[in-house]
Amino acid sequence: MKPLPPTEENLRLAGECLAKGGIVALPTETVYGLGADAFNARAVARVFEAKARPTFDPLIVHVASMEGVARVASEVPPKARSLMERLWPGPLTLIMPKRDEVPDLVTSGLPTVAIRCPAHPVARSIIVYSGTAIAAPSANPFGYLSPTRAQHVARMLGGRVDLIIDGGPCRVGVESTVLDLTADPPRILRPGGMEREAIEAV
Ligand code: AMP
Ligand code: MG
């Protein structure tokens, strides 16, 4: 599978592919992700298989709007609202209680779900075209470095994905910061592209 340029036609194609249960490699501002419809357990299972990712490692669900958050989270804590207003779109993943509609496979059986709104226009456009939320881990085989270019994805996973969209090199180049909002006070579970100071300021 050769990476496709991010023309409007290809972004629509990628969205349709995801809506039909396909798996698509796409650029975000942090790293390239391997996406599937977050509400389709079979599609999500294909992502775990393609990456050889252990199913105890939960995925991040990507949304393009607050409406997307409401479809995934059963409850949005007040602190989450302020953080989303100030720091989204961006490299900040928030852990919130999950809706029953999100398959257990996405969250590795946890009652919580990791949600992020990426700042990359290609990722956002594909999410919108898909009409759903996109569960996407980094687009590398388990144990390999996260890819920051479409060519890396093609080399590592090219034969196992339905589409690769090339959005150029990733601006941030490291994973998102993961913040648990079900803990009080909220806790950083993984440091990443959003600085602790920016989170604390909010
Ligand atoms: P990756 O998609 O490869 O960046 O990995 C996503 C990471 O987010 C996982 O390895 C976990 O560390 C974290 N994560 C995802 N969902 C949850 C959750 N429900 N609770 C806590 N951490 C999570
Ligand atoms: Mg990863």
Side-chain angles (χ1 to χ4, degrees):
M1 166 56 55
K2 230 176 105 229
L4 302 178
T7 61
E8 207 57 33
E9 183 56 34
N10 286 338
L11 300 185
R12 185 177 316 117
L13 196 69
E16 285 168 4
C17 179
L18 287 162
K20 285 188 204 142
I23 60 175
V24 174
L26 53 95
T28 80
E29 78 278 26
T30 59
V31 300
Y32 274 75
L34 179 58
D37 177 356
F39 300 100
N40 181 338
R42 285 176 67 113
V44 172
R46 285 189 61 205
V47 168
F48 278 96
E49 274 161 34
K51 279 180 60 89
R53 181 177 174 109
T55 53
F56 56 73
D57 197 1
L59 306 185
I60 294 171
V61 176
H62 293 69
V63 299
S65 65
M66 294 299 283
E67 191 214 323
V69 175
R71 290 173 65 185
V72 177
S74 62
E75 181 202 324
V76 179
K79 279 179 182 143
R81 269 187 207 291
S82 323
L83 287 162
M84 293 187 292
E85 273 163 26
R86 303 275 294 279
L87 301 179
W88 275 11
L92 175 65
T93 295
L94 301 174
I95 309 289
M96 296 182 227
K98 92 168 185 71
R99 276 194 186 278
D100 291 342
E101 290 83 352
V102 179
D104 284 334
L105 183 58
V106 171
T107 63
S108 302
L110 291 169
T112 54
V113 59
I115 310 177
R116 178 167 106 81
C117 180
H120 200 296
V122 170
R124 292 165 64 79
S125 175
I126 293 174
I127 296 168
V128 170
Y129 275 128
S130 77
T132 181
I134 303 301
S138 49
N140 51 289
F142 187 70
Y144 284 69
L145 215 59
S146 296
T148 54
R149 285 171 185 272
Q151 290 74 18
H152 301 169
V153 182
R155 221 176 294 141
M156 294 192 287
L157 290 177
R160 303 188 199 176
V161 306
D162 297 316
L163 277 179
I164 302 172
I165 303 295
D166 189 347
C170 300
R171 176 168 57 79
V172 177
V174 296
E175 274 95 347
S176 60
T177 302
V178 177
L179 182 69
D180 186 359
L181 289 164
T182 66
D184 194 24
R187 216 155 52 92
I188 291 180
L189 300 181
R190 178 180 76 181
M194 181 69 71
E195 293 94 22
R196 166 185 287 273
E197 292 69 31
I199 296 168
E200 282 174 352
V202 178

